[in-house]
Amino acid sequence: MNTIQEQIKALSEELRQHNYNYYVLDNPTISDYEFDIKLKQLQELEAKHPEFAEADSPTKRVGGEVTKNFETVVHEHRMYSLDNSYSKEDLLDWETRIKKMVDGEVQYVCELKYDGASISLTYENGMLLRAVTRGDGTQGDDVTANVKTIKSVPLKLKGNYPPKFDIRGEIVLPFEGFNKMNEERIEIGEEPYRNPRNTASGSLKLQDSAEVAKRPLECLLYNLTGTNLGVNTQFEGLVLARQMGFKVPDAAKLATSIDEVLEFIDYWNVHRRDLPYETDGVVIKINNLQQQDELGYTAKAPRWAMAYKFKAEQVSTRLNEITYQVGRTGAITPVANLEPVELAGTTVKRASLHNADQIEKLDIREGDEVFVEKGGEIIPKIIAVDLNKRPIDSQPTQYITHCPECQTELVRQEGEAQHYCPNYNGCKPQIIGRIQHFISRKAMDIEGLGGETVALLVNEGLIGNYSDLYELTKEQVLPLERMAEKSAENLIKGIEASKQIPFERVLFALGIRYVGETVAKKLAKHYKNIEALSQATIIDLVTVDEIGNRIAESVVDFFTSEENRQIIERLKHFGVQLALSEAVLANQTDKLKGQTFVVSGVFETVSRTELKKLIEDNGGKVSSSISSKTSFLVAGDKMGPSKREKAEKLNISIISEQDFLNFII
Ligand code: AMP
Ligand code: ZN
């Protein structure tokens, strides 16, 4: 029998290889299920024997580290921008310039220009040391904790590697994952994200790395940077990067003339549609590193590289009608209904117009011939009106003043782009949307009840708000369309079971504007029950960690409504959890209120995760980096010397695991 340490090592190694097969090679050799089982095994072993957990264990990929302020890091090698070209002539001019400046044959490497967020990864002795955003090119933000959760980023390298180097790449969000994230957002009544690029860069700046871990991000690498890399050309650099375990797309191609470069561009201008992620052009680089050196940099970009931008695909078509949609929160979205037209391989019938300002700015009118473009967005957008083709009898668009669903007069708050229907409890799409949110997976997770049935129940007048669900009987739902004996029973059972859903999820389910999952957790923890929360004032609310004015106002508004108060009373009456359970409360104290802890190293009696939970359960805060705001550094075995140094420099008390446990007894 192997020792525990050997088992942990072997499992870690195996999982690392599976991650690599799946995320870098796109070629998994075991099922997701088998992978999960093995990961769980490793987690359990590590929890029991934290002393053997490897620093780069695959279990670390799930995140958990929370960063409040991203530390600014100066790039050792500046991250430049790229010069752009838009035509064959531009490229030929560039070639002429290059040939005047360097000696000998010139070869080019053609790569795709991935549209995401640029990142610089630093490796030392084969281990990922740091991940920093481009920032202003000279300095960026340290987002290491978040980047570690991206499975295609190797934490530990394979084969032979230079002792120290940086590697540059792009963090992208493939379409499939992006669409899935948006489906989930729409399901809970939130605005979908606009495009994968912004969502990818936004993800890097999330404070909770566990949230980042849930996002299907990928990291595509394209440049090794540093000295003594052991390669002489860009192309060799890509090969080496691939051998070390990085994801380097194999579209990259060596070209011996500008004509071959142009062939590459023509090919990908069409075939990029088949790629799983967004690209916005091609990057052409001089292959020979010696020549790159000779060419050097301008103030802004390398002379040895050139981006060629694809033209965004555009068509013109007729705008037949502007219609208006009402969302769960009452937000109104104007939609352009277009004469169907082919664009970038799909038929486009509709485009979002976003809001009244957008319509006014472009002076978009029904009957206009409009230019539609598809860029990073999934939903195409209208970028201009062809004024030459405007019908003579055309009239400016009058934005609606009343809700298309319930005829209530719309409101638009100062500083907000969107119009809202204020008829919170009487507007059908809002009522239905709110109940759909209430029953959704991350909220009350009511099995046996789907979004369409909710709409039916509301339309049949069987329910008017989510508290009515708890009075439904099997006899009432049986006559509904597509409802059989068994499904009716399941529906009622599912509703009954939701009474066990814990308070923080109920709070999220209520659908208070701006109260998402994380905010709901914070509020539940702080106020402990709905009475206390309903009595909280704005001043009181904003003292809670991470609760700002906007959320505070929305919470107060919610509880000011008499109707909402009655609905809450009814939920309480039916036995829905409106307070933290005794079991949870029993473990919670205020003993560490106002104290911030940094946890580092390996511990004996509790795991690192448990330790963090203990801190939070006792009212303290966990931070990932030491600053003047840190109250204590809890030091375990094998704590990094730099953390200790920093704590000593800032005069922060360093305590042991036992000291800490004594605090909270
Ligand atoms: P721009 O932001 O338009 O100046 O373009 C420069 C950016 O393109 C770089 O910062 C990279 O993030 C990005 N990029 C995407 N793909 C590549 C690639 N294959 N080589 C170099 N840069 C790339
Ligand atoms: Zn309405």
Side-chain angles (χ1 to χ4, degrees):
M1 184 62 199
N2 292 340
T3 64
I4 301 281
Q5 186 169 13
E6 279 164 354
Q7 280 179 40
I8 289 185
K9 187 156 185 263
L11 251 176
S12 302
E13 202 46 60
E14 191 187 341
L15 286 167
R16 226 175 261 131
Q17 184 64 37
H18 286 310
N19 263 335
Y20 174 74
N21 293 346
Y22 188 106
Y23 292 101
V24 179
L25 302 181
D26 290 325
N27 186 19
T29 53
I30 61 169
S31 70
D32 291 359
Y33 177 73
E34 284 169 291
F35 181 89
D36 287 344
I37 302 261
K38 285 180 193 286
L39 188 68
K40 260 213 187 88
Q41 272 173 2
L42 180 60
Q43 272 168 336
E44 277 165 21
L45 281 174
E46 285 181 352
K48 277 193 219 132
H49 303 276
E51 68 278 18
F52 298 140
E54 303 191 349
D56 62 329
S57 164
T59 59
K60 303 262 156 65
R61 299 282 201 185
V62 296
E65 218 169 296
V66 175
T67 318
K68 191 99 201 194
N69 296 307
F70 295 96
E71 218 169 301
T72 307
V73 177
V74 176
H75 295 297
E76 194 175 328
H77 307 277
R78 192 176 142 186
M79 287 178 88
Y80 285 89
S81 177
L82 289 170
D83 281 333
N84 286 322
S85 59
Y86 300 90
S87 65
K88 187 178 168 179
E89 288 68 43
D90 287 352
L91 284 177
L92 290 173
D93 285 350
W94 179 60
E95 184 200 23
T96 314
R97 287 201 304 274
I98 297 284
K99 294 217 158 147
K100 275 192 200 143
M101 294 172 72
V102 296
D103 297 326
E105 286 287 295
V106 177
Q107 287 195 333
Y108 308 89
V109 178
C110 305
E111 296 167 28
L112 291 170
K113 189 166 187 295
Y114 323 110
D115 203 11
S118 30
I119 193 82
S120 178
L121 308 174
T122 303
Y123 284 81
E124 237 177 64
N125 302 320
M127 304 293 272
L128 173 64
L129 187 70
R130 215 180 298 115
V132 184
T133 63
R134 180 162 92 170
D136 64 1
T138 315
Q139 52 182 36
D141 291 320
D142 184 333
V143 291
T144 313
N146 287 344
V147 168
K148 275 187 177 168
T149 68
I150 302 171
K151 320 266 187 320
S152 49
V153 173
L155 302 179
K156 184 182 191 172
L157 301 178
K158 298 167 167 291
N160 291 323
Y161 39 77
K164 181 166 187 226
F165 65 94
D166 285 358
I167 185 162
R168 265 79 198 261
E170 199 84 357
I171 292 182
V172 299
L173 185 54
F175 294 123
E176 195 189 332
F178 174 76
N179 289 337
K180 209 163 137 237
M181 277 171 69
N182 268 348
E183 276 164 26
E184 284 175 13
R185 276 179 81 82
I186 290 165
E187 189 187 310
I188 62 167
E190 299 211 38
E191 280 275 306
Y193 294 114
R194 288 270 169 93
N195 63 52
R197 189 210 318 120
N198 293 353
T199 315
S201 56
S203 301
L204 292 184
K205 301 299 284 293
L206 289 176
Q207 294 190 335
D208 184 355
S209 59
E211 282 304 308
V212 187
K214 288 186 207 150
R215 300 195 171 182
L217 299 163
E218 277 194 27
C219 184
L220 310 174
L221 285 309
Y222 51 67
N223 249 71
L224 283 175
T225 310
T227 43
N228 299 325
L229 298 171
V231 291
N232 297 316
T233 65
Q234 163 69 7
F235 203 74
E236 282 171 31
L238 295 181
V239 173
L240 174 63
R242 229 175 255 135
Q243 284 165 356
M244 291 190 283
F246 292 101
K247 187 158 191 160
V248 180
D250 39 53
K253 199 171 166 259
L254 208 52
T256 48
S257 68
I258 281 290
D259 281 337
E260 278 181 46
V261 171
L262 292 170
E263 268 170 40
F264 183 90
I265 291 174
D266 284 343
Y267 178 86
W268 284 107
N269 194 16
V270 176
H271 289 88
R272 67 191 181 109
R273 285 183 208 155
D274 307 329
L275 291 169
Y277 39 76
E278 182 77 9
T279 52
D280 63 344
V282 165
V283 184
I284 305 119
K285 299 172 185 170
I286 302 296
N287 189 34
N288 187 317
L289 297 186
Q290 176 70 42
Q291 289 177 334
Q292 284 193 8
D293 249 9
E294 283 170 41
L295 288 163
Y297 298 82
T298 65
K300 173 183 155 266
R303 286 197 190 87
W304 47 263
M306 181 59 88
Y308 176 92
K309 288 276 176 95
F310 292 134
K311 286 180 197 65
E313 287 169 86
Q314 241 185 44
V315 285
S316 91
T317 189
R318 205 182 104 98
L319 166 57
N320 289 328
E321 194 191 4
I322 298 175
T323 52
Y324 299 85
Q325 284 179 348
V326 188
R328 155 171 91 82
T329 56
I332 307 288
T333 312
V335 179
N337 295 269
L338 306 165
E339 193 57 35
V341 63
E342 285 295 308
L343 175 61
T346 54
T347 307
V348 175
K349 296 189 194 108
R350 288 146 71 83
S352 167
L353 292 170
H354 302 308
N355 52 49
D357 288 347
Q358 181 75 2
I359 293 178
E360 202 181 299
K361 199 171 91 198
L362 298 178
D363 186 19
I364 297 173
R365 309 178 184 187
E366 287 181 351
D368 273 343
E369 190 72 16
V370 292
F371 294 105
V372 185
E373 188 177 293
K374 208 164 174 181
E377 302 79 10
I378 299 302
I379 306 164
K381 62 179 177 212
I382 293 179
I383 48 160
V385 173
D386 189 347
L387 290 176
N388 293 326
K389 297 202 179 142
R390 174 166 280 173
I392 326 169
D393 59 350
S394 155
Q395 295 294 323
T397 299
Q398 297 288 334
Y399 204 79
I400 49 167
T401 52
H402 290 74
C403 175
E405 299 280 343
C406 73
Q407 280 68 51
T408 304
E409 192 171 349
L410 301 179
V411 292
R412 184 183 187 178
Q413 237 116 47
E414 278 266 331
E416 288 213 24
Q418 229 72 19
H419 283 71
Y420 281 88
C421 165
N423 187 11
Y424 184 86
N425 284 310
C427 181
K428 271 252 173 90
Q430 295 190 56
I431 296 172
I432 294 174
R434 209 173 306 124
I435 303 174
Q436 285 172 338
H437 167 71
F438 185 82
I439 66 160
S440 65
R441 205 163 38 82
K442 288 181 179 164
M444 302 302 275
D445 192 20
I446 299 186
E447 264 181 61
L449 179 56
E452 279 176 34
T453 312
V454 168
L456 272 179
L457 289 168
V458 173
N459 287 328
E460 294 290 320
L462 288 170
I463 55 173
N465 63 61
Y466 36 64
S467 73
D468 295 340
L469 288 170
Y470 295 90
E471 265 182 344
L472 279 179
T473 62
K474 193 173 107 184
E475 289 65 36
Q476 278 179 310
V477 300
L478 253 178
L480 292 182
E481 222 176 289
R482 270 179 287 149
M483 195 53 80
E485 183 82 19
K486 190 79 198 154
S487 43
E489 250 167 48
N490 284 343
L491 192 159
I492 303 294
K493 251 196 231 154
I495 293 174
E496 185 60 29
S498 75
K499 294 180 183 170
Q500 303 309 319
I501 294 288
F503 177 46
E504 71 244 30
R505 276 176 58 189
V506 178
L507 198 50
F508 169 60
L510 295 181
I512 305 172
R513 223 169 137 201
Y514 308 128
V515 178
E517 269 181 292
T518 323
V519 171
K521 263 190 208 152
K522 293 244 143 82
L523 291 174
K525 196 162 197 168
H526 187 88
Y527 289 99
K528 302 192 170 54
N529 60 58
I530 200 103
E531 267 84 49
L533 178 63
S534 69
Q535 282 157 22
T537 61
I538 291 183
I539 298 169
D540 192 29
L541 279 157
V542 292
T543 59
V544 182
D545 192 28
E546 275 178 47
I547 306 295
N549 249 320
R550 198 178 66 142
I551 301 172
E553 274 172 28
S554 166
V555 171
V556 169
D557 273 356
F558 181 87
F559 289 106
T560 310
S561 146
E562 186 48 39
E563 203 152 354
N564 285 340
R565 283 177 175 271
Q566 275 173 19
I567 293 173
I568 303 274
E569 272 315 306
R570 274 165 61 80
L571 289 176
K572 198 184 295 167
H573 164 78
F574 292 125
V576 171
Q577 305 290 317
L578 291 168
L580 289 181
S581 72
E582 293 297 321
V584 173
L585 278 177
N587 285 323
Q588 290 202 349
T589 74
D590 270 347
K591 283 185 187 149
L592 306 178
K593 201 171 169 175
Q595 317 272 29
T596 302
F597 292 80
V598 172
V599 174
S600 180
V602 181
F603 300 93
E604 254 171 43
T605 38
V606 288
S607 75
R608 200 124 83 111
T609 322
E610 280 164 339
L611 191 62
K612 288 184 181 171
K613 190 166 177 303
L614 281 173
I615 295 171
E616 286 179 345
D617 283 350
N618 287 287
K621 262 198 254 176
V622 182
S623 164
S624 61
S625 58
I626 297 174
S627 72
S628 56
K629 297 202 186 84
T630 311
S631 327
F632 296 97
L633 168 64
V634 191
D637 199 20
K638 298 200 194 123
M639 183 180 76
S642 65
K643 279 218 163 114
R644 179 175 293 276
E645 245 168 59
K646 191 154 182 197
E648 278 166 359
K649 211 165 100 200
L650 292 170
N651 249 332
I652 286 154
S653 320
I654 305 179
I655 59 172
S656 72
E657 177 181 1
Q658 207 47 54
D659 294 337
F660 172 79
L661 294 173
N662 289 339
F663 269 179
I664 54 169
I665 293 173

